[in-house]
Amino acid sequence: MTRAPGKTARLNRLFNPKDGRAVCVAADHGWMSDVTPNVMELRRILELVVRGGADGILISFGTAVRHGHLLRGKDSPAMLIRADWMNMPRLGASNVSNVLPVVNFKKMATSRARDALHMGASAITIYYFIGYGDEFEALNIEQAADFAKECRKVGLPLIIEPMAVGGMVTGVNIAEILIASGRIAAEIGADALKIPYTGDVKTFKELVDQAGVPVLVLGGAKSDVPRDALELVDEALRAGASGTVFGRNVTKAKDPQKMVADICALVHGGKTIAEILGEHRAVGQRLKPVPAQCIGCQLCEVACVRAHTPGYGQTRARLRVETPSLGEELKPHRPVVCTLCGQCADACATGALTIAPEARLVLQRSLCSQCGACVDACPFHLIFVEDGYPVVCDLCDGDPECVKWCKRGAIVLTEWKRRVRHVHAE
Ligand code: SF4
């Protein structure tokens, strides 16, 4: 079946005609999850996102009623409407503050394609849950297919967001399940996907290739370091993604307008992360976690302690492995490592803590006033104090034991570039 002209026209409004890509922002969190400043100040944030140059903004129906006028100008972003609702974030799998005693996981349709068209939407977005392997999953596919049918009738593009959450999903098979979910969503009738990053370029490329429709990568949990978010975008683009639908990494950023503009510079402007962040020439290597590969064995912690402080327990490791707790099926195991973001060194008023030219943190005890500012500044909470002085990751003098011991490749070395200025102080 050829695509309805209405769909083509609306997709053209969303995807930049010059490069076929789109930078979208998800601002539909309030009615499902957290009541945080990004929800309470939605109008202000939407205005900033529009100014940042987003191509599309995903909002709930109620927000479309209240703030839809912001998206009606000739050059304003396309309006995407969330057409379903689910209570999963209230199970504790997200950063919600209003957790309710939810027993069953539920999802329901909240708007129809015609309602969204009436509001001026260029597309609707719905969830597709995978990993249950039961009648709920079957029901969900039926519901998604109904949306697809309605959208075909009225010429409205359908963006499906696969969520790998059921009991069959583990940290090890998540990439495989996401690849399958993208393919199935496209078969159901999605015109585009909004989907999490699989964790590496190779598996995400497989996802993009198998889906055969434009793939927009989502940002996931808020990252403390904007560079991490930009790296995710960069990797997804290299895998063939058609753009982004970032939520909290934009709406909770200190400067949402700047964050959107930076993502646009990557997606549309052909800029490199180094150019955007004002970095220059690579001078060494730093650690990088690859959560999709982590199985939570904690060998890296053991290796770190063994290399530095024999006799101590794993609490003395200069990295840690976060394991998902009950109700956090969405999250893979996650190595948290020093990425040489430099925030600790920036916070050190005496110059005791610096990043040495060969790319590693160095503490000069004679200069250290033991104020603890570096401990507070580390966004990953990796710096601990021993004998009054901070202990930081020293990259094992350039040959990190954690990288050597992790046979899964869940911690790797990547290029580190010296910053010449901080564009985003978070
Ligand atoms: S504790 Fe020492 S290294 Fe850390 S910020 Fe204070 S002076 Fe700098």
Side-chain angles (χ1 to χ4, degrees), residues 25-29 34 36-39 41-42 44-46 48-49 57-58 222 246-257 259-260:
V25 173
D28 60 331
H29 299 91
D34 43 1
T36 47
N38 65 319
V39 169
E41 299 173 29
L42 194 55
R44 180 184 72 81
I45 290 167
L46 289 179
L48 292 170
V49 166
I57 302 184
L58 174 62
K222 165 89 173 67
F246 271 34
R248 287 160 288 174
N249 277 303
V250 168
T251 59
K252 285 187 175 178
K254 267 243 169 73
D255 186 345
Q257 182 177 337
M259 196 66 209
V260 173

Side-chain angles (χ1 to χ4, degrees), residues 3 7 144 148 152 157-161 182 184-194 211-214:
R3 179 171 279 148
K7 273 197 181 192
R152 273 198 302 275
L158 174 68
I159 299 174
I160 294 185
E161 176 174 356
I184 294 167
E187 296 284 358
I188 291 171
D191 297 290
L193 302 181
K194 169 182 190 284
V213 295

Side-chain angles (χ1 to χ4, degrees), residues 347-348 350 352-353 363 367-374 390:
C348 177
T350 67
L353 192 58
L363 177 77
L367 295 179
C368 178
S369 65
Q370 303 182 319
C371 68
C374 54

Side-chain angles (χ1 to χ4, degrees), residues 17-37:
K18 286 192 194 129
D19 56 21
R21 289 175 167 180
V23 173
C24 304
V25 173
D28 60 331
H29 299 91
W31 67 334
M32 280 177 269
S33 56
D34 43 1
V35 185
T36 47

Side-chain angles (χ1 to χ4, degrees), residues 321-367:
V321 177
E322 288 180 351
T323 51
S325 51
L326 207 62
E328 293 186 322
E329 295 88 349
L330 264 181
K331 293 185 182 171
H333 296 279
R334 196 165 80 99
V336 181
V337 296
C338 173
T339 59
L340 285 182
C341 72
Q343 295 192 35
C344 55
D346 289 347
C348 177
T350 67
L353 192 58
T354 51
I355 300 182
E358 64 272 27
R360 73 201 58 149
L361 282 162
V362 174
L363 177 77
Q364 273 183 275
R365 279 194 174 214
S366 59
L367 295 179

Side-chain angles (χ1 to χ4, degrees), residues 163-396:
M163 298 272 277
V165 288
M168 296 162 79
V169 182
T170 68
V172 177
N173 68 10
I174 184 114
E176 211 179 310
I177 290 192
L178 283 173
I179 292 168
S181 73
R183 190 182 64 246
I184 294 167
E187 296 284 358
I188 291 171
D191 297 290
L193 302 181
K194 169 182 190 284
I195 196 162
Y197 188 51
T198 52
D200 62 87
V201 176
K202 185 172 170 285
T203 52
F204 204 66
K205 181 173 185 327
E206 219 173 301
L207 187 156
V208 171
D209 291 346
Q210 288 196 23
V213 295
V215 172
L216 302 168
V217 70
L218 58 83
K222 165 89 173 67
S223 163
D224 291 315
V225 182
R227 193 181 212 287
D228 289 349
L230 293 177
E231 279 187 5
L232 191 154
V233 179
D234 184 53
E235 289 187 14
L237 291 177
R238 279 194 274 131
S242 299
T244 60
V245 190
F246 271 34
R248 287 160 288 174
N249 277 303
V250 168
T251 59
K252 285 187 175 178
K254 267 243 169 73
D255 186 345
Q257 182 177 337
K258 173 81 180 134
M259 196 66 209
V260 173
D262 284 355
I263 297 174
C264 284
L266 258 184
V267 174
H268 296 307
K271 290 258 171 69
T272 64
I273 296 175
E275 285 167 344
I276 292 166
L277 295 182
E279 299 167 332
H280 70 125
R281 76 192 173 85
V283 291
Q285 292 192 301
R286 68 170 178 89
L287 297 175
K288 182 181 174 190
V290 187
Q293 295 301 323
C294 181
I295 54 171
C297 69
Q298 299 177 332
L299 265 181
C300 52
E301 290 182 0
V302 174
C304 179
V305 175
R306 198 167 164 272
H308 294 100
T309 47
Y312 278 116
Q314 275 163 247
T315 51
R316 262 23 197 175
R318 297 158 193 218
L319 76 171
R320 70 173 178 280
V321 177
E322 288 180 351
T323 51
S325 51
L326 207 62
E328 293 186 322
E329 295 88 349
L330 264 181
K331 293 185 182 171
H333 296 279
R334 196 165 80 99
V336 181
V337 296
C338 173
T339 59
L340 285 182
C341 72
Q343 295 192 35
C344 55
D346 289 347
C348 177
T350 67
L353 192 58
T354 51
I355 300 182
E358 64 272 27
R360 73 201 58 149
L361 282 162
V362 174
L363 177 77
Q364 273 183 275
R365 279 194 174 214
S366 59
L367 295 179
C368 178
S369 65
Q370 303 182 319
C371 68
C374 54
V375 178
D376 296 338
C378 175
F380 307 113
H381 310 294
L382 286 175
I383 305 178
F384 61 92
V385 176
E386 203 166 78
D387 302 329
Y389 292 97
V391 177
V392 294
C393 170
D394 60 359
L395 274 164
C396 301

